Each structure stands twice: as structure tokens, then as C-alpha cells.
Amino acid sequence: MKKMINYLMTMAAATATAIVFSACSGGKYQVEGTITEAEDSVLYFEHMSLSGPVVLASTTLKSDGAFSFSQQAADAPEFYRLRIANRIINLAADSAETVTVKASYPTMGSQYTVEGSDDCEKIKELTLLQMQLQSRIQSIVRDPKLNLEAVGKEVDAVVAEYKDNVKRNYIFAEPMKAYAYFALFQTVYLGGGQTALIFNPRASEDDTKVYAAVATSWDTYYPGAERGENLHNIAIQSMKDQRIIRNRQNQAIDLSQVDVSNTVDIVLPDNKGKTVRLSDLKGKVVLLDFHIFGADDSTERIMALREIYNKYHGQGLEIFQVGYDANEHFWKTQTAALPWTCVYDADGLNSLNLMRYNVMSIPTYFLLKRDNTVHMRDVQIKDLDKEIRSLL
């Protein structure tokens, strides 16, 4: 399960910056053109493999910005990208074609022209649609007039509209195409370090069916292709996960976990084995943190939490941190010296607690008022110190 999620997010990052080549066996494809306003910059040509980016070639651009790359074709669509620093261009090209790109740095990722491939136009359309969706989501989450529930509903609505359009006009229209595969792994940034898949088979049965449709089409057109097999693996694992989630959702919520203010409680063992409740901290301002200590940025995040805790604990702030590391012993060693409440959720990413709080990615946090109700979640908070002070 963890490996599948890591693959999904790796591919999401890949397709956010990918060049897709649908190639015929034995031939070569060529990408050429100009990227101006980038003299002395290094332009990279990279293969987005299933395990991450691999640099195939690079060139230092001259004043005219001219470049040209060629590569042996694969038997099935493959993913590559052109990159200067963190700016990229998404393309799709057939091995029998020469694709010509014209752009200017640093706006190359969204403002460019491409000739020589219809697939390139589809990839560009999807990229621009994703950027528009991102802009709409940012406007919603930053709207001070919207509470947490309203933000969630409006974001869900615009994402659903986007997905309906992309499914009908791109994925189901030609599921065997590289751009259909590309669409599966697009993401949106929710703020607070949270990036989420637009089509998330782990969270949606409908999205699992979309992955399965593309996988089936790739089986027909590219039998034995590694990416097609990976799509099948993702779809099959997601079906299993959905059955688990469905069974959990069918379970009635234990009324002992709901307090009089209708706040859903969290009841879990702490790092000493004692069962504790989030509601035990009622009367305090609480930073409810969902965390994975094995994540790359865990140390920096814990140091930031220590600073917040030391600054405001004496005034009534508490931290209630829920751990989701796969190894419980590792989690215990990491939390042994922490001064706040640390609990462990053995259900991992299938946890009902994550569903109840609508947690789409980890790490994330919520700021709770003294009555144990949610004040804001991280994506709504511009100044954490200011928000904490307002509640103390």
C-alpha cells in the first residue's frame, strides 16, 4: 500500500513536469526549437522513469536559445521533460515526427507554441486547465468569508467539474493515448505542504474505474508495457482499499467518540501505551497534527512545533500529534522525548480518523478552539502565531 502511494505521488510529480513521447519501435524522435531569454542557462532533457527523473542530455543555451535533442524510440508511450531550473514544458510526440517548440524563459511552462504533434496540443490543454483549476482552488481556500466546511464543499465542486470535463473530453475519448495517461497523474496544491492527486484511486471508486479503463486500453495497444502493468497494479490495489474503506464507512460511529459539541473525538494509545482522548484537552487551544516521522521534512517540522509549543504552552496551548509511521517501534523512539501528547494510529492510511477530518495528505494540522471545535486547518492559516494568540 505505501509503495503504491509513493508511486502515485512520484508519477504525479512526473506528469506535472513531463514530456510524453508515443513512439514506434526502432525509430528516433526529435525535439527542437528555441527558448529565448535564457542565455547561458542549462536546458535538460530528462526521462521520467517509474522511479524518478533521469537526465539523458543537456545543453547550455546561447543567445538565440536554439536546441535539439533526439532519442531512440520505445515500444510504448514514454515520459520525458525539458527543464530549465524548475521551469518545464510538457509535450507529446511520435517517433516519426519532429516536434518544434518555441518559448521564452521563465514563462516557458505555460506560454509556448508547439508544432508537429496533435498529442502535444492535448498535453498543453491539460496543463493550462490544471493551472486554471489551481487558481480557483487557491482563491477558495484563501477566502476569509468561508469556514472550513464551506471551503471543502466549494473545492470539491470545482474539482468535480474539472474531472468530469477531463474524463469525457480527454481520458475516455482516447484512453490509449499518452495524454490520457498524463491526465491520471495531474495534481493540485492545497497549501500547507499538501499536494493531492486530482484523480485519486485510493480515495474514490470512480477514479479507480478511470485508472482501470486506461490500463485496459494500454493492454490492447501496448501489450506487456511496464506502465500499463503499473496502472493495473494501482487499480487492483485501489479496489482492495476501497472495499476496506467501504466496510469502515458502513460501521456506525461510536457515540462515545462524539462530544456534546458534535466534535468527533480521537481515541488512541500514546507512546507509553495509555489510551488518551483528544477531548481530554477541552479547555485548551489545541494544535492537532497528523504526522509521519519517516518523512523527509519531519525533523524541520518537529523543530518548528517545538518552537510553537515552548512559546505558547504556558499560555494554554497543547499539541495532540497523531503518528502514521508504518513502524510503531520507530515512532515510539522518535516521540519519546517530545513534551506534547503523541498517539499512534495503527490503521495507517486507511484510518477512519483521516476520513473524519478529511485529511488528503500528511503532514497536515488543524487549530482547535477551547471547546474542541475546529477553528482553521493549515491551508487557511497565513500567520499561525497570530491565529494561536487570537484563541488564547
Side-chain angles (χ1 to χ4, degrees):
M1 175 64 188
K2 184 176 180 181
K3 183 177 181 181
M4 186 201 76
I5 294 170
N6 289 339
Y7 168 72
L8 284 172
M9 297 313 296
T10 297
M11 280 308 304
T15 55
T17 58
I19 300 172
V20 187
F21 290 89
S22 178
C24 301
S25 178
K28 285 182 176 290
Y29 51 75
Q30 184 163 321
V31 181
E32 61 184 27
T34 58
I35 299 178
T36 58
E37 306 299 325
E39 185 176 2
D40 295 328
S41 296
V42 178
L43 174 65
Y44 293 94
F45 179 49
E46 299 175 329
H47 174 221
M48 298 305 298
S49 72
L50 293 180
S51 57
V54 178
V55 176
L56 297 178
S58 65
T59 185
T60 301
L61 297 176
K62 297 180 180 180
S63 58
D64 62 359
F67 69 90
S68 179
F69 296 111
S70 64
Q71 180 70 19
Q72 189 71 30
D75 294 327
E78 260 305 333
F79 290 77
Y80 301 80
R81 68 185 184 185
L82 292 172
R83 176 177 64 85
I84 298 177
N86 62 348
R87 308 293 182 177
I88 60 91
I89 293 178
N90 304 312
L91 297 170
D94 188 89
S95 61
E97 298 172 331
T98 296
V99 178
T100 303
V101 178
K102 294 182 180 179
S104 179
Y105 187 80
T107 59
M108 55 186 279
S110 59
Q111 299 177 28
Y112 64 92
T113 63
V114 59
E115 298 177 353
S117 170
D118 291 337
D119 275 343
C120 292
E121 288 299 324
K122 296 293 187 182
I123 294 294
K124 182 178 179 181
E125 288 172 17
L126 284 164
T127 299
L128 295 178
L129 285 172
Q130 187 273 342
M131 290 179 178
Q132 294 169 14
L133 173 63
Q134 182 68 70
S135 179
R136 293 179 68 184
I137 290 175
Q138 288 177 337
S139 296
I140 293 169
V141 299
R142 292 172 180 172
D143 189 341
K145 300 187 296 294
L146 299 178
N147 60 26
L148 183 65
E149 182 179 2
V151 167
K153 288 182 178 179
E154 293 205 19
V155 169
D156 287 346
V158 298
V159 171
E161 178 185 338
Y162 179 90
K163 290 168 69 172
D164 179 66
N165 175 35
V166 170
K167 280 191 293 187
R168 287 186 294 104
N169 296 314
Y170 295 90
I171 297 176
F172 291 152
E174 294 182 296
M176 79 295 294
K177 294 289 189 176
Y179 68 80
Y181 187 107
F182 176 89
L184 293 180
F185 296 99
Q186 286 188 297
T187 65
V188 288
Y189 179 66
L190 301 177
Q194 298 184 72
T195 300
L197 286 161
I198 297 172
F199 290 94
N200 186 354
R202 186 174 68 87
S204 166
E205 289 187 68
D206 287 340
D207 291 355
T208 299
K209 294 175 183 177
V210 175
Y211 273 73
V214 177
T216 300
S217 184
W218 275 50
D219 274 350
T220 301
Y221 286 86
Y222 317 109
E226 184 180 15
R227 293 188 184 276
E229 292 177 357
N230 269 283
L231 286 180
H232 262 302
N233 292 338
I234 292 170
I236 291 170
Q237 183 62 56
S238 297
M239 290 175 189
K240 294 178 181 178
D241 293 339
Q242 286 301 321
R243 285 196 292 270
I244 295 172
I245 292 172
R246 189 163 53 248
N247 290 337
R248 289 182 179 276
Q249 289 176 332
N250 289 336
Q251 296 173 358
I253 295 178
D254 187 346
L255 293 179
S256 67
Q257 293 187 322
V258 182
D259 65 20
V260 293
S261 66
N262 290 324
T263 298
V264 177
D265 207 353
I266 294 178
V267 184
L268 291 168
D270 66 12
N271 49 9
K272 298 179 178 61
K274 178 184 176 182
T275 298
V276 297
R277 293 174 174 267
L278 175 61
S279 58
D280 291 340
L281 298 178
K282 193 170 185 178
K284 302 283 188 179
V285 174
V286 179
L287 195 155
L288 171 60
D289 186 55
F290 296 88
H291 190 79
I292 296 176
F293 284 85
D296 291 340
D297 60 350
S298 174
T299 300
E300 291 79 5
R301 184 179 177 84
I302 292 300
M303 290 175 64
L305 288 176
R306 276 187 178 274
E307 184 176 346
I308 290 291
Y309 183 84
N310 292 338
K311 190 173 183 179
Y312 295 112
H313 176 63
Q315 302 175 47
L317 175 74
E318 296 288 348
I319 295 177
F320 190 95
Q321 189 170 58
V322 188
Y324 285 92
D325 289 274
N327 188 315
E328 184 176 1
H329 177 72
F330 170 78
W331 168 80
K332 285 183 178 180
T333 62
Q334 296 297 306
T335 60
L338 296 180
W340 53 76
T341 302
C342 298
V343 297
Y344 184 74
D345 195 335
D347 288 336
L349 298 177
N350 291 318
S351 169
L352 200 56
N353 290 313
L354 295 178
M355 290 182 235
R356 289 167 175 166
Y357 279 88
N358 193 27
V359 174
M360 300 299 295
S361 63
I362 301 174
T364 191
Y365 70 84
F366 297 78
L367 195 58
L368 309 186
K369 295 182 284 189
R370 291 184 183 274
D371 62 0
N372 235 203
T373 59
V374 174
H375 174 61
M376 287 182 174
R377 68 184 304 162
D378 52 3
V379 294
Q380 298 176 300
I381 296 175
K382 296 181 179 179
D383 187 334
L384 180 56
D385 281 82
K386 180 180 178 181
E387 294 300 333
I388 291 174
R389 290 195 299 270
S390 73
L391 299 177
L392 291 174

